[in-house]
mmCIF file of all heavy atoms in Angstrom:
data_model
loop_
_atom_site.group_PDB
_atom_site.id
_atom_site.type_symbol
_atom_site.label_atom_id
_atom_site.label_comp_id
_atom_site.label_asym_id
_atom_site.label_seq_id
_atom_site.Cartn_x
_atom_site.Cartn_y
_atom_site.Cartn_z
ATOM 1 N N THR A 1 -24.046 -82.086 -32.442
ATOM 2 C CA THR A 1 -23.200 -82.930 -33.298
ATOM 3 C C THR A 1 -23.990 -84.078 -33.915
ATOM 4 O O THR A 1 -23.583 -84.631 -34.938
ATOM 5 C CB THR A 1 -22.020 -83.478 -32.490
ATOM 6 O OG1 THR A 1 -22.524 -84.244 -31.365
ATOM 7 C CG2 THR A 1 -21.153 -82.341 -31.981
ATOM 8 N N LYS A 2 -25.113 -84.458 -33.296
ATOM 9 C CA LYS A 2 -25.944 -85.528 -33.833
ATOM 10 C C LYS A 2 -27.138 -84.999 -34.623
ATOM 11 O O LYS A 2 -27.988 -85.782 -35.051
ATOM 12 C CB LYS A 2 -26.447 -86.409 -32.679
ATOM 13 C CG LYS A 2 -25.323 -87.079 -31.894
ATOM 14 C CD LYS A 2 -25.874 -87.909 -30.756
ATOM 15 C CE LYS A 2 -24.759 -88.564 -29.952
ATOM 16 N NZ LYS A 2 -25.280 -89.366 -28.818
ATOM 17 N N ASP A 3 -27.187 -83.698 -34.781
ATOM 18 C CA ASP A 3 -28.302 -83.091 -35.514
ATOM 19 C C ASP A 3 -28.060 -83.205 -37.013
ATOM 20 O O ASP A 3 -26.917 -83.132 -37.484
ATOM 21 C CB ASP A 3 -28.447 -81.616 -35.116
ATOM 22 C CG ASP A 3 -29.803 -81.050 -35.510
ATOM 23 O OD1 ASP A 3 -30.077 -80.970 -36.712
ATOM 24 O OD2 ASP A 3 -30.578 -80.692 -34.608
ATOM 25 N N GLU A 4 -29.147 -83.346 -37.772
ATOM 26 C CA GLU A 4 -29.027 -83.435 -39.231
ATOM 27 C C GLU A 4 -28.599 -82.105 -39.847
ATOM 28 O O GLU A 4 -28.096 -82.075 -40.970
ATOM 29 C CB GLU A 4 -30.358 -83.871 -39.836
ATOM 30 C CG GLU A 4 -31.527 -82.964 -39.503
ATOM 31 C CD GLU A 4 -32.830 -83.449 -40.082
ATOM 32 O OE1 GLU A 4 -32.856 -84.538 -40.671
ATOM 33 O OE2 GLU A 4 -33.843 -82.720 -39.931
ATOM 34 N N LEU A 5 -28.771 -81.007 -39.111
ATOM 35 C CA LEU A 5 -28.331 -79.693 -39.577
ATOM 36 C C LEU A 5 -27.019 -79.274 -38.923
ATOM 37 O O LEU A 5 -26.742 -78.072 -38.775
ATOM 38 C CB LEU A 5 -29.406 -78.644 -39.282
ATOM 39 C CG LEU A 5 -30.760 -78.841 -39.961
ATOM 40 C CD1 LEU A 5 -31.750 -77.797 -39.484
ATOM 41 C CD2 LEU A 5 -30.619 -78.787 -41.482
ATOM 42 N N PHE A 6 -26.200 -80.251 -38.565
ATOM 43 C CA PHE A 6 -24.955 -79.934 -37.858
ATOM 44 C C PHE A 6 -24.024 -79.077 -38.711
ATOM 45 O O PHE A 6 -23.355 -78.176 -38.204
ATOM 46 C CB PHE A 6 -24.250 -81.230 -37.445
ATOM 47 C CG PHE A 6 -22.882 -80.996 -36.871
ATOM 48 C CD1 PHE A 6 -22.722 -80.390 -35.638
ATOM 49 C CD2 PHE A 6 -21.744 -81.370 -37.581
ATOM 50 C CE1 PHE A 6 -21.459 -80.164 -35.112
ATOM 51 C CE2 PHE A 6 -20.481 -81.150 -37.063
ATOM 52 C CZ PHE A 6 -20.345 -80.551 -35.824
ATOM 53 N N LYS A 7 -23.982 -79.334 -40.009
ATOM 54 C CA LYS A 7 -23.097 -78.558 -40.880
ATOM 55 C C LYS A 7 -23.501 -77.088 -40.891
ATOM 56 O O LYS A 7 -22.644 -76.196 -40.876
ATOM 57 C CB LYS A 7 -23.131 -79.128 -42.300
ATOM 58 C CG LYS A 7 -22.157 -78.472 -43.255
ATOM 59 C CD LYS A 7 -22.175 -79.144 -44.616
ATOM 60 C CE LYS A 7 -21.183 -78.483 -45.570
ATOM 61 N NZ LYS A 7 -21.202 -79.117 -46.918
ATOM 62 N N MET A 8 -24.801 -76.841 -40.914
ATOM 63 C CA MET A 8 -25.272 -75.459 -40.895
ATOM 64 C C MET A 8 -25.055 -74.827 -39.529
ATOM 65 O O MET A 8 -24.632 -73.669 -39.414
ATOM 66 C CB MET A 8 -26.757 -75.417 -41.271
ATOM 67 C CG MET A 8 -27.366 -74.014 -41.342
ATOM 68 S SD MET A 8 -27.962 -73.336 -39.758
ATOM 69 C CE MET A 8 -29.305 -74.464 -39.405
ATOM 70 N N LEU A 9 -25.323 -75.573 -38.468
ATOM 71 C CA LEU A 9 -25.194 -75.025 -37.123
ATOM 72 C C LEU A 9 -23.749 -74.744 -36.748
ATOM 73 O O LEU A 9 -23.473 -73.871 -35.907
ATOM 74 C CB LEU A 9 -25.823 -75.984 -36.115
ATOM 75 C CG LEU A 9 -27.338 -76.188 -36.217
ATOM 76 C CD1 LEU A 9 -27.795 -77.271 -35.266
ATOM 77 C CD2 LEU A 9 -28.073 -74.889 -35.928
ATOM 78 N N SER A 10 -22.805 -75.456 -37.347
ATOM 79 C CA SER A 10 -21.392 -75.268 -37.018
ATOM 80 C C SER A 10 -20.696 -74.270 -37.935
ATOM 81 O O SER A 10 -19.495 -74.042 -37.788
ATOM 82 C CB SER A 10 -20.662 -76.612 -37.083
ATOM 83 O OG SER A 10 -20.754 -77.165 -38.395
ATOM 84 N N ALA A 11 -21.423 -73.699 -38.892
ATOM 85 C CA ALA A 11 -20.817 -72.736 -39.818
ATOM 86 C C ALA A 11 -20.518 -71.439 -39.084
ATOM 87 O O ALA A 11 -21.388 -70.872 -38.417
ATOM 88 C CB ALA A 11 -21.750 -72.480 -41.007
ATOM 89 N N ARG A 12 -19.291 -70.964 -39.217
ATOM 90 C CA ARG A 12 -18.881 -69.707 -38.601
ATOM 91 C C ARG A 12 -17.962 -68.962 -39.553
ATOM 92 O O ARG A 12 -17.264 -69.560 -40.369
ATOM 93 C CB ARG A 12 -18.155 -69.950 -37.272
ATOM 94 C CG ARG A 12 -19.026 -70.531 -36.200
ATOM 95 C CD ARG A 12 -18.294 -70.631 -34.893
ATOM 96 N NE ARG A 12 -17.941 -69.345 -34.336
ATOM 97 C CZ ARG A 12 -17.283 -69.184 -33.185
ATOM 98 N NH1 ARG A 12 -16.893 -70.234 -32.504
ATOM 99 N NH2 ARG A 12 -17.000 -67.978 -32.742
ATOM 100 N N LYS A 13 -17.957 -67.663 -39.433
ATOM 101 C CA LYS A 13 -17.093 -66.842 -40.269
ATOM 102 C C LYS A 13 -15.693 -66.754 -39.667
ATOM 103 O O LYS A 13 -15.513 -66.867 -38.450
ATOM 104 C CB LYS A 13 -17.662 -65.427 -40.412
ATOM 105 C CG LYS A 13 -18.981 -65.339 -41.143
ATOM 106 C CD LYS A 13 -19.441 -63.902 -41.206
ATOM 107 C CE LYS A 13 -20.799 -63.765 -41.868
ATOM 108 N NZ LYS A 13 -21.286 -62.366 -41.881
ATOM 109 N N ASP A 14 -14.735 -66.527 -40.547
ATOM 110 C CA ASP A 14 -13.384 -66.220 -40.096
ATOM 111 C C ASP A 14 -13.398 -64.819 -39.475
ATOM 112 O O ASP A 14 -14.198 -63.961 -39.867
ATOM 113 C CB ASP A 14 -12.416 -66.274 -41.284
ATOM 114 C CG ASP A 14 -10.976 -66.097 -40.849
ATOM 115 O OD1 ASP A 14 -10.387 -67.076 -40.366
ATOM 116 O OD2 ASP A 14 -10.447 -64.972 -40.990
ATOM 117 N N PRO A 15 -12.553 -64.546 -38.476
ATOM 118 C CA PRO A 15 -12.550 -63.205 -37.869
ATOM 119 C C PRO A 15 -12.321 -62.068 -38.856
ATOM 120 O O PRO A 15 -12.683 -60.923 -38.568
ATOM 121 C CB PRO A 15 -11.413 -63.297 -36.843
ATOM 122 C CG PRO A 15 -11.347 -64.735 -36.478
ATOM 123 C CD PRO A 15 -11.696 -65.481 -37.724
ATOM 124 N N ARG A 16 -11.723 -62.368 -40.026
ATOM 125 C CA ARG A 16 -11.506 -61.338 -41.040
ATOM 126 C C ARG A 16 -12.539 -61.381 -42.157
ATOM 127 O O ARG A 16 -12.463 -60.602 -43.097
ATOM 128 C CB ARG A 16 -10.114 -61.512 -41.637
ATOM 129 C CG ARG A 16 -8.984 -61.233 -40.680
ATOM 130 C CD ARG A 16 -8.871 -59.750 -40.398
ATOM 131 N NE ARG A 16 -7.621 -59.399 -39.753
ATOM 132 C CZ ARG A 16 -7.210 -58.174 -39.511
ATOM 133 N NH1 ARG A 16 -7.991 -57.160 -39.855
ATOM 134 N NH2 ARG A 16 -6.071 -57.919 -38.934
ATOM 135 N N GLN A 17 -13.505 -62.280 -42.077
ATOM 136 C CA GLN A 17 -14.464 -62.508 -43.158
ATOM 137 C C GLN A 17 -15.729 -61.687 -42.913
ATOM 138 O O GLN A 17 -16.193 -61.547 -41.784
ATOM 139 C CB GLN A 17 -14.801 -63.997 -43.239
ATOM 140 C CG GLN A 17 -15.576 -64.425 -44.460
ATOM 141 C CD GLN A 17 -15.785 -65.934 -44.479
ATOM 142 O OE1 GLN A 17 -15.322 -66.645 -43.590
ATOM 143 N NE2 GLN A 17 -16.469 -66.407 -45.485
ATOM 144 N N ILE A 18 -16.324 -61.161 -43.990
ATOM 145 C CA ILE A 18 -17.540 -60.357 -43.901
ATOM 146 C C ILE A 18 -18.771 -61.168 -44.269
ATOM 147 O O ILE A 18 -19.788 -61.128 -43.572
ATOM 148 C CB ILE A 18 -17.433 -59.104 -44.793
ATOM 149 C CG1 ILE A 18 -16.288 -58.212 -44.324
ATOM 150 C CG2 ILE A 18 -18.741 -58.319 -44.791
ATOM 151 C CD1 ILE A 18 -16.075 -56.974 -45.164
ATOM 152 N N PHE A 19 -18.711 -61.912 -45.386
ATOM 153 C CA PHE A 19 -19.853 -62.680 -45.880
ATOM 154 C C PHE A 19 -19.603 -64.174 -45.685
ATOM 155 O O PHE A 19 -18.459 -64.639 -45.736
ATOM 156 C CB PHE A 19 -20.109 -62.403 -47.370
ATOM 157 C CG PHE A 19 -20.408 -60.970 -47.688
ATOM 158 C CD1 PHE A 19 -19.446 -60.156 -48.240
ATOM 159 C CD2 PHE A 19 -21.656 -60.437 -47.429
ATOM 160 C CE1 PHE A 19 -19.720 -58.837 -48.540
ATOM 161 C CE2 PHE A 19 -21.939 -59.121 -47.718
ATOM 162 C CZ PHE A 19 -20.972 -58.321 -48.275
ATOM 163 N N PHE A 20 -20.697 -64.919 -45.506
ATOM 164 C CA PHE A 20 -20.610 -66.369 -45.508
ATOM 165 C C PHE A 20 -20.273 -66.844 -46.924
ATOM 166 O O PHE A 20 -20.940 -66.485 -47.892
ATOM 167 C CB PHE A 20 -21.936 -66.995 -45.064
ATOM 168 C CG PHE A 20 -22.139 -67.018 -43.582
ATOM 169 C CD1 PHE A 20 -23.061 -66.181 -42.985
ATOM 170 C CD2 PHE A 20 -21.400 -67.870 -42.773
ATOM 171 C CE1 PHE A 20 -23.261 -66.196 -41.617
ATOM 172 C CE2 PHE A 20 -21.583 -67.884 -41.403
ATOM 173 C CZ PHE A 20 -22.516 -67.047 -40.825
ATOM 174 N N GLY A 21 -19.238 -67.659 -47.053
ATOM 175 C CA GLY A 21 -18.887 -68.239 -48.349
ATOM 176 C C GLY A 21 -18.070 -67.354 -49.258
ATOM 177 O O GLY A 21 -17.719 -67.783 -50.364
ATOM 178 N N LEU A 22 -17.772 -66.123 -48.857
ATOM 179 C CA LEU A 22 -16.976 -65.208 -49.676
ATOM 180 C C LEU A 22 -15.778 -64.742 -48.850
ATOM 181 O O LEU A 22 -15.951 -64.156 -47.780
ATOM 182 C CB LEU A 22 -17.807 -64.004 -50.130
ATOM 183 C CG LEU A 22 -18.988 -64.293 -51.054
ATOM 184 C CD1 LEU A 22 -19.772 -63.015 -51.318
ATOM 185 C CD2 LEU A 22 -18.518 -64.912 -52.364
ATOM 186 N N ALA A 23 -14.592 -65.007 -49.356
ATOM 187 C CA ALA A 23 -13.371 -64.668 -48.636
ATOM 188 C C ALA A 23 -12.929 -63.248 -48.977
ATOM 189 O O ALA A 23 -13.284 -62.709 -50.032
ATOM 190 C CB ALA A 23 -12.265 -65.669 -48.986
ATOM 191 N N PRO A 24 -12.147 -62.625 -48.120
ATOM 192 C CA PRO A 24 -11.612 -61.292 -48.445
ATOM 193 C C PRO A 24 -10.721 -61.348 -49.683
ATOM 194 O O PRO A 24 -9.957 -62.299 -49.895
ATOM 195 C CB PRO A 24 -10.809 -60.925 -47.197
ATOM 196 C CG PRO A 24 -11.385 -61.753 -46.107
ATOM 197 C CD PRO A 24 -11.827 -63.023 -46.744
ATOM 198 N N GLY A 25 -10.818 -60.318 -50.505
ATOM 199 C CA GLY A 25 -10.048 -60.255 -51.739
ATOM 200 C C GLY A 25 -10.798 -60.701 -52.969
ATOM 201 O O GLY A 25 -10.361 -60.419 -54.085
ATOM 202 N N TRP A 26 -11.913 -61.389 -52.809
ATOM 203 C CA TRP A 26 -12.699 -61.839 -53.963
ATOM 204 C C TRP A 26 -13.510 -60.674 -54.516
ATOM 205 O O TRP A 26 -13.914 -59.762 -53.799
ATOM 206 C CB TRP A 26 -13.635 -62.975 -53.582
ATOM 207 C CG TRP A 26 -12.924 -64.246 -53.233
ATOM 208 C CD1 TRP A 26 -11.592 -64.445 -53.103
ATOM 209 C CD2 TRP A 26 -13.535 -65.509 -52.924
ATOM 210 N NE1 TRP A 26 -11.310 -65.736 -52.741
ATOM 211 C CE2 TRP A 26 -12.485 -66.417 -52.626
ATOM 212 C CE3 TRP A 26 -14.845 -65.961 -52.880
ATOM 213 C CZ2 TRP A 26 -12.730 -67.744 -52.293
ATOM 214 C CZ3 TRP A 26 -15.095 -67.283 -52.547
ATOM 215 C CH2 TRP A 26 -14.036 -68.164 -52.257
ATOM 216 N N ILE A 27 -13.769 -60.724 -55.823
ATOM 217 C CA ILE A 27 -14.594 -59.725 -56.506
ATOM 218 C C ILE A 27 -15.814 -60.432 -57.062
ATOM 219 O O ILE A 27 -15.697 -61.411 -57.807
ATOM 220 C CB ILE A 27 -13.816 -59.016 -57.637
ATOM 221 C CG1 ILE A 27 -12.595 -58.295 -57.073
ATOM 222 C CG2 ILE A 27 -14.718 -58.038 -58.375
ATOM 223 C CD1 ILE A 27 -11.736 -57.640 -58.131
ATOM 224 N N VAL A 28 -16.999 -59.947 -56.712
ATOM 225 C CA VAL A 28 -18.254 -60.533 -57.173
ATOM 226 C C VAL A 28 -18.753 -59.722 -58.367
ATOM 227 O O VAL A 28 -19.023 -58.521 -58.243
ATOM 228 C CB VAL A 28 -19.306 -60.549 -56.051
ATOM 229 C CG1 VAL A 28 -20.616 -61.128 -56.551
ATOM 230 C CG2 VAL A 28 -18.791 -61.353 -54.854
ATOM 231 N N ASN A 29 -18.856 -60.368 -59.516
ATOM 232 C CA ASN A 29 -19.357 -59.737 -60.735
ATOM 233 C C ASN A 29 -20.810 -60.147 -60.922
ATOM 234 O O ASN A 29 -21.109 -61.263 -61.331
ATOM 235 C CB ASN A 29 -18.507 -60.179 -61.938
ATOM 236 C CG ASN A 29 -18.834 -59.390 -63.189
ATOM 237 O OD1 ASN A 29 -19.884 -58.751 -63.279
ATOM 238 N ND2 ASN A 29 -17.934 -59.425 -64.166
ATOM 239 N N LEU A 30 -21.723 -59.242 -60.597
ATOM 240 C CA LEU A 30 -23.144 -59.562 -60.685
ATOM 241 C C LEU A 30 -23.619 -59.635 -62.132
ATOM 242 O O LEU A 30 -24.544 -60.395 -62.435
ATOM 243 C CB LEU A 30 -23.964 -58.514 -59.927
ATOM 244 C CG LEU A 30 -23.763 -58.458 -58.411
ATOM 245 C CD1 LEU A 30 -24.634 -57.371 -57.809
ATOM 246 C CD2 LEU A 30 -24.075 -59.797 -57.771
ATOM 247 N N ALA A 31 -23.019 -58.847 -63.033
ATOM 248 C CA ALA A 31 -23.465 -58.843 -64.429
ATOM 249 C C ALA A 31 -23.192 -60.192 -65.097
ATOM 250 O O ALA A 31 -24.060 -60.752 -65.777
ATOM 251 C CB ALA A 31 -22.782 -57.724 -65.192
ATOM 252 N N ASP A 32 -21.995 -60.722 -64.897
ATOM 253 C CA ASP A 32 -21.627 -62.003 -65.500
ATOM 254 C C ASP A 32 -21.854 -63.187 -64.575
ATOM 255 O O ASP A 32 -21.599 -64.330 -64.976
ATOM 256 C CB ASP A 32 -20.152 -61.985 -65.925
ATOM 257 C CG ASP A 32 -19.876 -60.913 -66.975
ATOM 258 O OD1 ASP A 32 -20.842 -60.535 -67.678
ATOM 259 O OD2 ASP A 32 -18.729 -60.457 -67.066
ATOM 260 N N LYS A 33 -22.281 -62.895 -63.337
ATOM 261 C CA LYS A 33 -22.513 -63.949 -62.337
ATOM 262 C C LYS A 33 -21.262 -64.793 -62.134
ATOM 263 O O LYS A 33 -21.279 -66.024 -62.222
ATOM 264 C CB LYS A 33 -23.699 -64.830 -62.734
ATOM 265 C CG LYS A 33 -25.018 -64.069 -62.816
ATOM 266 C CD LYS A 33 -26.178 -64.975 -63.166
ATOM 267 C CE LYS A 33 -27.487 -64.203 -63.229
ATOM 268 N NZ LYS A 33 -28.627 -65.073 -63.570
ATOM 269 N N LYS A 34 -20.160 -64.092 -61.872
ATOM 270 C CA LYS A 34 -18.882 -64.764 -61.667
ATOM 271 C C LYS A 34 -18.218 -64.209 -60.416
ATOM 272 O O LYS A 34 -18.517 -63.090 -59.974
ATOM 273 C CB LYS A 34 -17.962 -64.558 -62.871
ATOM 274 C CG LYS A 34 -18.420 -65.244 -64.147
ATOM 275 C CD LYS A 34 -17.423 -65.029 -65.263
ATOM 276 C CE LYS A 34 -17.867 -65.722 -66.546
ATOM 277 N NZ LYS A 34 -16.898 -65.510 -67.651
ATOM 278 N N ILE A 35 -17.311 -65.006 -59.861
ATOM 279 C CA ILE A 35 -16.512 -64.604 -58.715
ATOM 280 C C ILE A 35 -15.054 -64.651 -59.132
ATOM 281 O O ILE A 35 -14.555 -65.698 -59.569
ATOM 282 C CB ILE A 35 -16.766 -65.509 -57.501
ATOM 283 C CG1 ILE A 35 -18.216 -65.368 -57.028
ATOM 284 C CG2 ILE A 35 -15.807 -65.152 -56.364
ATOM 285 C CD1 ILE A 35 -18.566 -66.259 -55.859
ATOM 286 N N LEU A 36 -14.377 -63.525 -59.027
ATOM 287 C CA LEU A 36 -12.969 -63.421 -59.407
ATOM 288 C C LEU A 36 -12.119 -63.504 -58.147
ATOM 289 O O LEU A 36 -12.343 -62.759 -57.186
ATOM 290 C CB LEU A 36 -12.712 -62.106 -60.142
ATOM 291 C CG LEU A 36 -13.634 -61.820 -61.344
ATOM 292 C CD1 LEU A 36 -13.318 -60.468 -61.942
ATOM 293 C CD2 LEU A 36 -13.519 -62.923 -62.387
ATOM 294 N N LYS A 37 -11.132 -64.408 -58.167
ATOM 295 C CA LYS A 37 -10.270 -64.624 -57.015
ATOM 296 C C LYS A 37 -8.854 -64.157 -57.334
ATOM 297 O O LYS A 37 -8.391 -64.311 -58.466
ATOM 298 C CB LYS A 37 -10.249 -66.108 -56.626
ATOM 299 C CG LYS A 37 -11.633 -66.676 -56.326
ATOM 300 C CD LYS A 37 -11.554 -68.143 -55.976
ATOM 301 C CE LYS A 37 -12.945 -68.725 -55.725
ATOM 302 N NZ LYS A 37 -12.882 -70.166 -55.384
ATOM 303 N N PRO A 38 -8.164 -63.570 -56.371
ATOM 304 C CA PRO A 38 -6.786 -63.104 -56.641
ATOM 305 C C PRO A 38 -5.833 -64.276 -56.809
ATOM 306 O O PRO A 38 -5.980 -65.327 -56.168
ATOM 307 C CB PRO A 38 -6.459 -62.271 -55.401
ATOM 308 C CG PRO A 38 -7.338 -62.820 -54.326
ATOM 309 C CD PRO A 38 -8.606 -63.261 -55.012
ATOM 310 N N THR A 39 -4.853 -64.081 -57.679
ATOM 311 C CA THR A 39 -3.832 -65.115 -57.927
ATOM 312 C C THR A 39 -2.434 -64.631 -57.584
ATOM 313 O O THR A 39 -1.514 -65.455 -57.479
ATOM 314 C CB THR A 39 -3.870 -65.545 -59.401
ATOM 315 O OG1 THR A 39 -3.689 -64.391 -60.243
ATOM 316 C CG2 THR A 39 -5.208 -66.206 -59.739
ATOM 317 N N ASP A 40 -2.249 -63.337 -57.418
ATOM 318 C CA ASP A 40 -0.930 -62.808 -57.081
ATOM 319 C C ASP A 40 -0.543 -63.229 -55.666
ATOM 320 O O ASP A 40 -1.367 -63.199 -54.752
ATOM 321 C CB ASP A 40 -0.939 -61.285 -57.205
ATOM 322 C CG ASP A 40 0.447 -60.703 -57.055
ATOM 323 O OD1 ASP A 40 1.226 -60.785 -58.018
ATOM 324 O OD2 ASP A 40 0.747 -60.170 -55.961
ATOM 325 N N GLU A 41 0.693 -63.619 -55.484
ATOM 326 C CA GLU A 41 1.141 -64.131 -54.184
ATOM 327 C C GLU A 41 1.088 -63.050 -53.101
ATOM 328 O O GLU A 41 0.747 -63.330 -51.948
ATOM 329 C CB GLU A 41 2.556 -64.695 -54.303
ATOM 330 C CG GLU A 41 2.633 -65.950 -55.190
ATOM 331 C CD GLU A 41 4.048 -66.516 -55.219
ATOM 332 O OE1 GLU A 41 4.924 -65.900 -54.564
ATOM 333 O OE2 GLU A 41 4.244 -67.541 -55.875
ATOM 334 N N SER A 42 1.427 -61.817 -53.474
ATOM 335 C CA SER A 42 1.410 -60.743 -52.475
ATOM 336 C C SER A 42 -0.019 -60.460 -52.016
ATOM 337 O O SER A 42 -0.254 -60.223 -50.820
ATOM 338 C CB SER A 42 2.035 -59.477 -53.070
ATOM 339 O OG SER A 42 1.310 -59.050 -54.223
ATOM 340 N N LEU A 43 -0.982 -60.508 -52.941
ATOM 341 C CA LEU A 43 -2.380 -60.307 -52.550
ATOM 342 C C LEU A 43 -2.891 -61.454 -51.690
ATOM 343 O O LEU A 43 -3.604 -61.235 -50.709
ATOM 344 C CB LEU A 43 -3.250 -60.153 -53.799
ATOM 345 C CG LEU A 43 -3.055 -58.873 -54.621
ATOM 346 C CD1 LEU A 43 -3.934 -58.918 -55.873
ATOM 347 C CD2 LEU A 43 -3.386 -57.654 -53.801
ATOM 348 N N LEU A 44 -2.517 -62.671 -52.060
ATOM 349 C CA LEU A 44 -2.935 -63.819 -51.267
ATOM 350 C C LEU A 44 -2.371 -63.743 -49.855
ATOM 351 O O LEU A 44 -3.051 -64.061 -48.873
ATOM 352 C CB LEU A 44 -2.505 -65.112 -51.938
ATOM 353 C CG LEU A 44 -3.199 -65.445 -53.272
ATOM 354 C CD1 LEU A 44 -2.562 -66.675 -53.917
ATOM 355 C CD2 LEU A 44 -4.688 -65.687 -53.058
#
């Protein structure tokens, strides 16, 4: 907790998450370098 890298050391994934920083349901567009997020309530 007193380490300067505490934010990195405390980073953990959600039990349903696959990638660090990317939530389930997101679409990664490599061609346009964009991340598309769902807006429909049922998908959320």
Side-chain angles (χ1 to χ4, degrees):
T1 59
K2 299 179 181 179
D3 197 295
E4 58 182 5
L5 298 175
F6 173 69
K7 185 176 180 181
M8 182 275 294
L9 294 174
S10 60
R12 294 185 65 180
K13 295 179 183 177
D14 186 79
R16 293 288 194 173
Q17 191 177 358
I18 298 178
F19 300 102
F20 279 108
L22 296 175
W26 292 7
I27 300 177
V28 179
N29 189 342
L30 294 180
D32 299 336
K33 298 182 179 180
K34 292 182 180 180
I35 296 178
L36 307 177
K37 303 179 182 180
T39 56
D40 188 77
E41 294 183 359
S42 60
L43 291 177
L44 293 173

